[in-house]
Amino acid sequence: WIEPVASKTPYQLSIEVSNRLNSVRFNLQLQVFTAYTVSAQITQVNGNDMTGMSNIIVPTAGTVTVSGMVHPKYANAPIANVPISFWIQREGSSRTTISPLYTDSQGRWSIRYPLSINTGGHHNVGAYHPKNSSFEVFDTFLTHAMRVTKSISISSLPGPISGTARIKNQGNSVLTGLNAYIPEDDINRLRAAGVNNLEFFIPPSISADSSVEMDVNMTVTVPYLNSRFSVIVESNEA
């Protein structure tokens, strides 16, 4: 019996063994558990359709929607209310499993998974039926996560002043081509407040899961400065 058909109730088997002198018959029950085929793919990122796309990049603290279907192997039709386990794993980190999720009337299932602002790197996703545990990778995505771990503090006015910020790459791949700038509205606000000669110094890259310092130099022409501003840090990847 190479490919037994799954059944909700046990099979009743009768086996007879005999020779020329005697024969023996005995009965037994055989349970063939239901086996399922589960599919999964990334269908949305922050509400935008990603069905069938590759090389998916998810913004920092974004939301990934993973969807799929469940087919029983013994029938070519989806069924409802089948439990599945969804898993997601950042390469180099432990696996997170969410279970159970249940299929709808069309055999479909879906989950919206919000990413932490502290999460970056290559991620794998998959799903399986509890009786067919498997960590086969069904889809992948990449998140580039930079975070300020030390903000800029400015004092000693007026005159030339400087500050330092620390930028951390929270992903597991290098970020290259770093560039820092202040949005135009903030620049105009700073100039109106008496700030001139604004400069940034930042290394060209950040290694995986490490930090770099960004220096900010400026000249303040007034004895008191009360102005907030934003610094945008970009890379070739994020």
Side-chain angles (χ1 to χ4, degrees):
W1 201 5
I2 299 175
E3 293 185 355
V5 177
S7 174
K8 293 182 179 180
T9 58
Y11 288 92
Q12 307 294 327
L13 301 182
S14 178
I15 300 176
E16 182 176 347
V17 180
S18 64
N19 59 21
R20 286 183 294 180
L21 299 178
N22 198 2
S23 65
V24 177
R25 179 189 297 271
F26 57 93
N27 299 319
L28 57 85
Q29 290 185 341
L30 178 63
Q31 179 72 62
V32 180
F33 290 106
T34 304
Y36 296 88
T37 299
V38 181
S39 65
Q41 67 171 328
I42 297 171
T43 54
Q44 290 185 346
V45 172
N46 290 347
N48 298 313
D49 185 24
M50 294 288 168
T51 305
M53 297 185 65
S54 58
N55 301 320
I56 296 174
I57 296 179
V58 180
T60 302
T63 298
V64 178
T65 300
V66 181
S67 306
M69 296 191 69
V70 174
H71 287 274
K73 290 183 178 179
Y74 63 86
N76 188 25
I79 54 177
N81 298 318
V82 175
I84 67 104
S85 296
F86 164 77
W87 64 267
I88 182 170
Q89 183 177 26
R90 174 183 181 266
E91 292 182 4
S93 302
S94 59
R95 183 183 298 112
T96 298
T97 301
I98 299 176
S99 179
L101 304 174
Y102 290 92
T103 58
D104 62 15
S105 60
Q106 301 299 314
R108 300 186 181 94
W109 64 271
S110 184
I111 183 173
R112 295 178 72 251
Y113 188 86
L115 297 174
S116 167
I117 193 173
N118 300 319
T119 302
H122 295 271
H123 292 73
N124 299 321
V125 298
Y128 58 88
H129 185 272
K131 290 189 178 296
N132 296 273
S133 298
S134 170
F135 296 107
E136 176 186 356
V137 176
F138 286 101
D139 214 340
T140 63
F141 66 90
L142 179 63
T143 296
H144 299 293
M146 285 188 289
R147 184 179 181 185
V148 176
T149 57
K150 176 186 175 184
S151 60
I152 301 169
S153 179
I154 297 173
S155 59
S156 302
L157 305 179
I161 60 174
S162 62
T164 302
R166 185 172 293 113
I167 311 297
K168 183 176 182 180
N169 174 11
Q170 299 181 129
N172 55 4
S173 59
V174 64
L175 298 178
T176 62
L178 296 184
N179 178 52
Y181 66 93
I182 294 180
E184 185 176 355
D185 288 346
D186 285 3
I187 288 179
N188 293 335
R189 189 180 305 112
L190 287 170
R191 287 174 176 168
V195 176
N196 298 315
N197 304 323
L198 192 59
E199 297 178 305
F200 294 99
F201 298 93
I202 188 170
S205 63
I206 311 179
S207 300
D209 196 27
S210 62
S211 300
V212 297
E213 289 193 340
M214 177 181 68
D215 295 326
V216 180
N217 297 330
M218 65 181 69
T219 300
V220 180
T221 60
V222 293
Y224 177 74
L225 177 64
N226 182 16
S227 182
R228 297 177 60 87
F229 62 96
S230 300
V231 179
I232 297 177
V233 180
E234 297 180 332
S235 73
N236 292 332
E237 298 79 13

